[in-house]
Amino acid sequence: MKNITPTLKKSALVCLIGTFFLISIDSLAQRHGGAGHRNGGATQVRPTRPANQSRPAVNKPNRTRPAATRPGSNNSGTKISRPTNSNSKISNRNNATTRNSNNTRNSNNRNTNISGNTRNRNVDRSRDITINNNRNTVVRRNTVVYARPPYRYGGYRYHAYNPYFFHPYRPFYYGPVWHPWGFFVATLAVTAIVVSVENNQYHYDQGVWYAPSNGGYTAVPAPVGGTANNIPSGAQTVNTGTVNNYYYGGTYYEKDGNSYKVVAPTAGTVVDHLPEGGEEVTIGDVKYVKFGETYYQPIQVDGKDKYEVVLVEEDK
């Protein structure tokens, strides 16, 4: 009996220790089991993976990320490289300046070729024709005394009977058969006649005078002394102060028997229109229209725009 009692005591002690151990394990499981267990749910235990089980290999596709490219200023997606050397900007500006200067020089060259010598050359800008009008440009003096003082500028006196009245130079259209000085034609009409003046041969047709040139004919200023049997019906009768002249297309004629003789313009003559080929020139504060060495002053008579032949003299 004495031997049984110690045995029972040892068994009870083992049971007590086992119970305490189980209670500790259960408390630990509840602490890690989450809210579900704390709310009364069953304890969830993750199954243990067998030691010999391995995760199957997965072949992932080889995805290569494309290289990112910074978009340019034009949103084209192309990276715009910036010059690493600041001198390239200067070089570009220099190149632009050079191109601009070349364009300016070319433009100046074209303008120079058009204007040429303003003393002997002129331009019909409506047809882009170079005109040589250095003949028949002498102005005859008028016998009527000038009551108006001349306009003085640059060592010259510019005489006119009428006051200066500016209006833009608008060439008058004389019709399809009339051509300005410098106009070239390959052949002439059958109505053209041959006129010899001082051993030079000209051709006259319907108010236009031609001279042979480059296998064809070029319209030229009417030669003083040349005669024609008739002049166009649209010729204007103008008073020179002593005798009437007939004016057509920049040319002046005097009646000579049954023909018409080309004469130089007389100072003070007033005409209604000027043809193509004139050059608008500015002298001081006055703007004239010039044909060769003949100056026309814009005037107004009875409310109509007209032109007067100016007498130019050296101011001594």
Side-chain angles (χ1 to χ4, degrees), residues 7-21:
T7 302
L8 292 173
K9 289 180 180 181
K10 290 181 181 180
S11 298
L13 181 60
V14 171
C15 291
L16 182 61
I17 293 173
T19 302
F20 178 78
F21 180 77

Side-chain angles (χ1 to χ4, degrees), residues 127 174-185 187-189 191-195 202-211 217-223 227-228 230-232 248-251 253 262 275-276:
R127 304 188 187 184
Y174 282 90
V177 297
W178 186 90
H179 302 300
W181 299 346
F183 189 88
F184 177 83
V185 294
T187 58
L188 294 176
T191 54
I193 61 173
V194 178
V195 180
Y202 298 89
H203 297 261
Y204 171 81
D205 184 37
Q206 303 184 65
V208 184
W209 293 80
Y210 300 91
Y217 305 89
T218 301
V220 296
T227 58
N230 55 69
I231 56 176
Y248 184 85
T251 302
Y253 301 89
V262 177
E276 299 177 57

